[in-house]
């Protein structure tokens, strides 16, 4: 009896009537009912979060003319992410407790003032209260925490962007003021340069003043010493000048008298000439003789005329001398009167010149110090201008679009660029590999609720253990293939799970079913009824170690060996590659492990068939009763 005949006989036994046929159909549909309905129910739960009721409480009083809490609430309600209900704090708390709301977000009264407090350098952290109740649904609370974190991040970005914009605007203001300061520093540097030039001229003048005042002081001291006897000498001079003036006055008077007599003599001589001419004419002299006589007379009186001229000239000189002597005497008298005051003034001038010399020296010293300070001022002003110009180039002064873009970047500096090498697309598609593999194991498990792992008739007929084992497995393998074909048809066309490699995925699913049926067949063939229990235990162990929901690295360390050894881990890994990204070289390892389980299961079944060839009385009783 060959293996195919054994398998065909087992299938005929199961389909001998209407009810058995329905039972076989039900067994074929078990994986479909388990996996497809679950995947259908959880295909895209995140796309239906708008059906989830949530409460939002807005108690924000606003600040600085803004109510950020109201803005946040309006954006939440407008987003439609959840079924938002704006209610009071009491209603929200009671609603979460009564499961009318999955969670509640409360925005407190001081929310805006806290957010805007940093602008006044009185930083205060704003708080949003999230109210959850795991008694309603644990995942609702988990989702709510993610929503609250997203709200917090959005608000932080918005407020941070505004704060950064104000910060950068402050830089622009600083830039403008610093630019004005740089211009002022340039003017200061220019003015200080002019001041330095003037200071140098002033210092040079002060130096010359010091030198001149020293010379003046020396000269006045010399003059003071030289004029010390001036009052006495000027008094003597005044007395002598008075005497000279008096003598000169008497001499001038004598000369005046002499001049008057000489003038009178001159008039008399003129009269004598007229009378002499008259008498000569009267004496009978001719006119030529008269003129000759007058000519002789003029010759004779010529010395007298000359003497008269000299006398008149000397009289004028003596008069002038008398006047000059008088004025000299008057001046000498004035000099004598002013000499003491002059001497005193010269002394004071000498003293003042000494003080002027000391002051000029101090002025010169101060001017040298001022020149040094002005030089440093000019150098400092130049350095200030240079530093302000350099600093001006280092202060950002962006235009409005750049400032806005920079503020947004500061508020949210990191963007996540998600590059999906393979994407499941939906929550249900993400769980599909796990539930398909799980449904395939369950399908293999339930097959042996009806199928016999080994044909008793074939064993009693002395058939080869290999044929008996493979024949017992083939009937389950045929039904297992039917299970996964129906399952994949529903998953792809009814549920709508996208599959990157449909043919490869179905072929891999057939391999998984063959391997799982071989393992469960071996357990049932070797241990009988206990094998069914071991198959259930093995199912539980694979549920906790296969990494179907969370990454397998997150399971406890003690379960790592189970993940490496048990076949469902490799079935899930292979399904993920074929459903999401297509075939890869890594899937060859999964295929190799499953083939090893397939061959290993058949070998164990052969050993069980060989063992079952030895009959005991307890084993024969059930067969005889049949």
């Amino acid at each position: 009896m060959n293996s195919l005949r054994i398998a065909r006989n087992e299938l005929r036994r199961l389909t001998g009537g209407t009810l058995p046929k329905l039972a076989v159909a039900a067994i074929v549909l078990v994986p479909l009912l388990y996996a497809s309905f679950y995947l259908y129910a959880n295909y895209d739960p995140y796309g239906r979060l708008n059906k989830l009721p949530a409460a939002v409480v807005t108690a924000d009083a606003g600040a600085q003319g803004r109510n950020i809490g109201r803005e946040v609430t309006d954006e939440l309600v407008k987003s439609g992410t959840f079924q938002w209900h704006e209610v009071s704090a009491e209603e929200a708390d009671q609603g979460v407790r009564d499961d009318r709301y999955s969670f509640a977000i409360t925005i407190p009264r001081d929310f805006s003032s806290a957010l805007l407090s940093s602008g006044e350098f009185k930083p205060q952290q704003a708080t949003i209260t999230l109210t959850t109740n795991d008694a309603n649904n644990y995942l609702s609370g988990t989702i709510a925490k993610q929503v609250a974190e997203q709200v917090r991040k959005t608000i932080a970005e918005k407020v941070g962007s505004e704060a950064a914009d104000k910060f950068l605007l402050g830089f622009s203001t600083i830039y403008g003021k610093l630019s004005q300061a740089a211009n002022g520093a340039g003017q200061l540097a220019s003015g200080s340069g002019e001041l330095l030039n003037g200071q140098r001229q002033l210092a040079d003048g002060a130096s010359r003043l010091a030198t001149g005042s020293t010379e003046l002081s020396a000269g006045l001291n010399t003059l003071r010493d030289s004029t010390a006897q001036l009052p006495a000498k000027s008094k003597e001079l005044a007395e002598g000048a008075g005497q000279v003036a008096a003598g000169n006055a008497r001499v001038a008077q004598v000369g005046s008298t002499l001049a008057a007599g000489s003038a009178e003599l001159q008039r008399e001589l003129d009269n004598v000439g007229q009378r002499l001419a008259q008498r000569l004419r009267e004496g009978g002299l001719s006119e030529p003789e008269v003129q000759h006589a007058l000519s002789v007379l003029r010759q004779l009186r010529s010395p007298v005329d000359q003497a008269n001229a000299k006398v008149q000239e000397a009289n004028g000189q003596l008069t002038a001398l008398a006047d000059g002597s008088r004025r000299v005497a008057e001046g000498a008298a004035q000099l004598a009167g002013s000499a003491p005051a002059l001497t005193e003034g010269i002394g004071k001038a000498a003293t003042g010149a000494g003080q002027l010399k000391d002051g000029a020296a101090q002025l010169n010293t101060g001017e040298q110090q001022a020149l040094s300070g002005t030089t440093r001022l000019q150098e400092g002003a130049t350095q200030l201008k240079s530093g302000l110009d350099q600093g001006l180039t280092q202060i950002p002064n962006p235009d409005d679009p750049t400032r806005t873009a920079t503020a947004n970047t500061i508020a949210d500096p990191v963007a996540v660029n998600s590059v999906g090498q393979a994407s499941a697309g939906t929550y249900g598609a993400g769980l599909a590999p796990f539930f398909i593999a799980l449904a395939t194991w369950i399908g293999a498990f339930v097959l042996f609720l009806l199928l016999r792992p080994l044909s008793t008739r074939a064993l009693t007929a002395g058939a080869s253990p290999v044929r008996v084992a493979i024949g017992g497995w083939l009937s389950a393998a045929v039904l297992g293939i039917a299970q996964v074909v129906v399952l994949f048809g529903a998953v792809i066309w009814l549920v709508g799970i996208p599959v990157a490699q449909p043919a490869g995925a179905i072929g891999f699913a057939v391999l998984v079913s063959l391997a799982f049926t071989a393992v469960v067949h071996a357990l049932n063939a070797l241990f009988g009824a206990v094998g069914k229990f071991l198959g259930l235990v093995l199912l539980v162990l694979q549920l906790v170690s296969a990494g179907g929901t969370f990454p397998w690295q997150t399971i406890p360390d003690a379960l790592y060996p189970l993940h490496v050894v048990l076949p469902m881990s490799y079935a899930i890994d292979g399904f993920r590659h074929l459903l999401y990204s297509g075939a890869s070289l890594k899937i060859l390892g999964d295929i190799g492990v499953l083939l090893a389980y397939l061959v290993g299961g058949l070998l164990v079944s052969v050993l069980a068939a060989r063992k079952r060839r030895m009959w005991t009385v307890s084993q024969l009783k059930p067969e005889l009763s049949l």
Side-chain angles (χ1 to χ4, degrees):
M1 184 178 292
N2 58 35
S3 300
L4 292 175
R5 185 176 178 183
I6 294 172
R8 185 173 62 249
N9 291 337
E10 183 65 17
L11 291 175
R12 284 178 178 177
R13 184 184 67 83
L14 290 179
T15 58
T18 302
L19 189 58
K21 290 179 181 178
L22 293 176
V24 172
I27 289 175
V28 172
L29 294 177
V30 165
L32 171 66
L33 296 175
Y34 180 79
S36 62
F37 279 131
Y38 187 89
L39 294 177
Y40 173 73
N42 295 277
Y43 178 71
D44 188 16
Y46 293 104
R48 295 178 60 82
L49 290 179
N50 57 353
K51 304 295 183 180
L52 194 66
V56 58
V57 180
T58 308
D60 189 10
Q64 301 180 18
R66 292 190 60 186
N67 192 318
I68 301 177
R70 170 49 54 190
E71 296 175 11
V72 172
T73 300
D74 292 342
E75 289 181 7
L76 284 176
V77 174
K78 183 179 179 181
S79 68
T81 307
F82 294 90
Q83 191 182 101
W84 291 104
H85 300 269
E86 187 174 357
V87 296
S88 65
E90 295 77 9
E91 186 177 353
D93 186 70
Q94 189 63 39
V96 174
R97 183 176 291 107
D98 296 341
D99 196 20
R100 286 186 289 112
Y101 304 122
S102 299
F103 61 90
I105 292 179
T106 302
I107 301 176
R109 181 177 181 81
D110 61 346
F111 187 71
S112 293
S113 60
L115 284 176
L116 301 175
S117 60
S118 298
E120 300 176 354
F121 295 98
K122 298 178 181 179
Q124 180 183 354
Q125 190 176 39
T127 303
I128 293 178
T129 302
L130 174 66
T131 304
T132 60
N133 187 352
D134 287 349
N136 298 335
N137 189 295
Y138 173 74
L139 287 180
S140 295
T142 302
I143 294 172
K145 291 177 183 178
Q146 295 178 352
V147 172
E149 176 61 23
Q150 185 62 38
V151 171
R152 185 203 65 77
K153 180 182 178 182
T154 301
I155 295 172
E157 291 176 2
K158 182 177 182 180
V159 175
S161 177
E162 293 177 356
D165 186 73
K166 291 182 180 179
F167 182 70
L168 294 175
L169 184 60
F171 268 124
S172 297
T173 303
I174 293 174
Y175 182 91
K177 298 300 182 182
L178 191 60
S179 178
Q180 295 178 0
N183 293 334
Q187 296 175 358
L188 176 62
S190 177
S192 63
E194 296 176 359
L195 175 63
L196 178 61
N197 293 331
Q199 197 70 47
R200 286 172 179 168
Q201 296 175 1
L202 181 60
D204 183 63
S207 177
R208 292 197 301 270
L209 175 63
T211 301
S213 63
T214 300
E215 295 175 354
L216 176 63
S217 176
L220 286 175
N221 286 331
T222 302
L223 179 62
R224 181 183 59 189
D225 295 339
S226 299
T227 57
Q229 302 297 321
L230 181 62
K233 296 298 183 181
S234 60
K235 183 177 180 181
E236 293 177 359
L237 176 62
E239 292 175 353
Q243 294 175 358
V244 171
N248 286 335
R250 287 195 295 274
V251 171
Q253 184 177 6
V254 173
S256 177
T257 302
L258 179 61
S262 178
E264 182 65 25
L265 175 63
Q266 193 69 17
R267 286 193 296 273
E268 288 297 329
L269 288 175
D270 291 337
N271 293 329
V272 169
Q274 292 176 359
R275 287 194 302 271
L276 177 60
Q278 182 67 29
R279 289 179 179 180
L280 289 176
R281 290 185 186 99
E282 290 176 357
L285 292 176
S286 61
E287 187 63 29
E289 292 175 343
V290 173
Q291 292 298 327
H292 178 72
L294 290 176
S295 172
V296 172
L297 179 63
R298 282 195 295 271
Q299 292 178 355
L300 292 176
R301 62 173 292 186
S302 176
V304 175
D305 291 336
Q306 293 177 355
N308 178 62
K310 291 180 179 180
V311 169
Q312 295 300 325
E313 181 180 359
N315 180 52
Q317 293 176 349
L318 288 175
T319 301
L321 177 61
D323 292 337
S325 298
R326 179 177 55 79
R327 288 195 295 273
V328 168
E330 292 175 353
Q334 292 178 353
L335 176 61
S338 302
L342 176 62
T343 304
E344 183 180 0
I346 291 173
K348 291 181 179 180
T351 301
Q355 295 175 350
L356 175 62
K357 180 188 71 172
D358 295 337
Q362 294 176 358
L363 174 62
N364 184 44
T365 301
E367 276 303 318
Q368 295 302 322
Q369 295 175 351
L371 178 61
S372 177
T374 304
T375 302
R376 292 194 298 273
L377 172 63
Q378 200 274 335
E379 293 174 353
T382 302
Q383 293 176 355
L384 175 62
K385 180 181 182 302
S386 177
L388 288 175
D389 290 339
Q390 293 178 1
L392 197 62
T393 62
Q394 299 177 3
I395 295 178
N397 183 33
D399 53 22
D400 291 344
T402 304
R403 186 177 70 247
T404 301
T406 304
N408 293 335
T409 303
I410 292 174
D412 188 17
V414 179
V416 177
N417 182 22
S418 298
V419 179
Q421 295 180 347
S423 176
T426 62
Y427 177 78
L431 293 179
F434 173 61
F435 282 98
I436 291 174
L438 183 59
T440 304
W441 183 275
I442 294 175
F445 178 82
V446 299
L447 286 175
F448 291 96
L449 295 178
L450 297 178
L451 294 174
R452 293 181 301 186
L454 298 176
S455 173
T456 305
R457 180 177 298 178
L459 289 173
T460 57
S464 168
V466 175
R467 294 178 180 178
V468 174
I470 294 178
W473 169 74
L474 277 177
S475 58
V478 171
L479 294 177
I481 293 173
Q483 287 176 339
V484 295
V485 171
V486 173
L487 172 61
F488 256 87
V491 167
I492 296 175
W493 290 298
L494 297 181
V495 180
I497 299 296
V499 180
Q501 295 290 334
I506 293 176
F508 185 76
V510 169
L511 174 61
V512 171
S513 177
L514 294 177
F516 286 179
T517 54
V519 172
V520 178
H521 175 260
L523 292 175
N524 282 271
L526 186 61
F527 299 105
V530 177
K532 294 181 176 61
F533 173 74
L534 293 177
L536 184 61
V537 171
L538 200 58
L539 172 62
V540 174
L541 292 177
Q542 292 183 112
L543 283 176
V544 299
S545 64
T549 53
F550 288 92
W552 67 267
Q553 292 87 348
T554 61
I555 64 177
D557 293 346
L559 298 179
Y560 277 17
L562 295 177
H563 174 80
V564 176
V565 171
L566 297 178
M568 191 178 292
S569 303
Y570 300 93
I572 294 173
D573 185 68
F575 279 131
R576 282 174 176 160
H577 284 285
L578 292 168
L579 265 63
Y580 303 152
S581 61
S584 68
L585 294 178
K586 186 177 180 182
I587 200 175
L588 296 178
D590 300 325
I591 293 174
V593 171
L594 293 172
L595 286 174
Y597 266 98
L598 173 59
V599 175
L602 293 177
L603 290 177
V604 172
S605 297
V606 171
L607 292 176
R610 183 182 298 275
K611 182 179 178 182
R612 291 286 296 275
R613 294 181 69 181
M614 303 296 296
W615 292 86
T616 63
V617 175
S618 60
Q619 291 174 327
L620 289 173
K621 287 181 179 180
E623 297 295 331
L624 294 174
S625 63
L626 293 174

